[in-house]
Amino acid sequence: MKTHLTFSASIEAADSQRRIIAGQIVPFGEIGNTSAGKVIFEKGSIQVPALSKIKLLAQHQATASGVIGRMINLTEDKNGMYASFRISNSADGENFLIKASEGLLDGLSVGVDVLNSK
């Protein structure tokens, strides 16, 4: 049975000139609060399909106005996964960038489908 989790992490950079938001999306080896309770993600536990398939949603809303960007970079080290997202040149994207630049957003919240866990 597949479970869907959401997990929040800090926005580390917001560049309104280049329309990019970046930050750690998943820490490894730390207890994190998810929609299913406390979870620890380990290095190598998350598989990401093609980056172009990963959309940035505002407040997890998969509606037309909720899709505000697309993943353009993903890296992983011993501490976690880090991603950069290009934000759309739309009113919704602009509003998101302004809020991120002013520190008004709590962070990036990722959704993962869990296929196996212990």
Side-chain angles (χ1 to χ4, degrees):
M1 181 175 143
K2 183 169 71 169
T3 304
H4 184 78
L5 298 177
T6 57
F7 185 86
S8 295
S10 303
I11 293 175
E12 295 175 4
D15 183 336
S16 57
Q17 295 281 352
R18 294 175 47 218
R19 305 193 69 76
I20 293 174
I21 290 179
Q24 183 182 49
I25 57 171
V26 178
F28 294 144
E30 296 178 19
I31 296 174
N33 293 312
T34 71
S35 56
K38 295 188 183 302
V39 172
I40 299 174
F41 289 98
E42 297 297 334
K43 185 171 175 28
S45 65
I46 298 176
Q47 297 175 2
V48 177
L51 298 185
S52 64
K53 301 277 186 198
I54 307 298
K55 296 175 184 169
L56 181 62
L57 308 176
Q59 304 298 317
H60 292 276
Q61 299 298 313
T63 61
S65 64
V67 178
I68 58 168
R70 185 170 304 283
M71 186 181 285
I72 57 171
N73 188 36
L74 179 69
T75 60
E76 184 175 315
D77 66 19
K78 65 179 183 165
N79 298 314
M81 294 179 84
Y82 304 82
S84 299
F85 299 88
R86 174 140 351 258
I87 307 303
S88 71
N89 192 15
S90 65
D92 295 316
E94 186 65 27
N95 189 32
F96 190 84
L97 273 171
I98 291 168
K99 288 179 182 179
S101 296
E102 294 177 354
L104 299 175
L105 298 175
D106 292 334
L108 297 169
S109 179
V110 299
V112 297
D113 292 325
V114 178
L115 304 176
N116 192 1
S117 65
K118 57 180 178 171

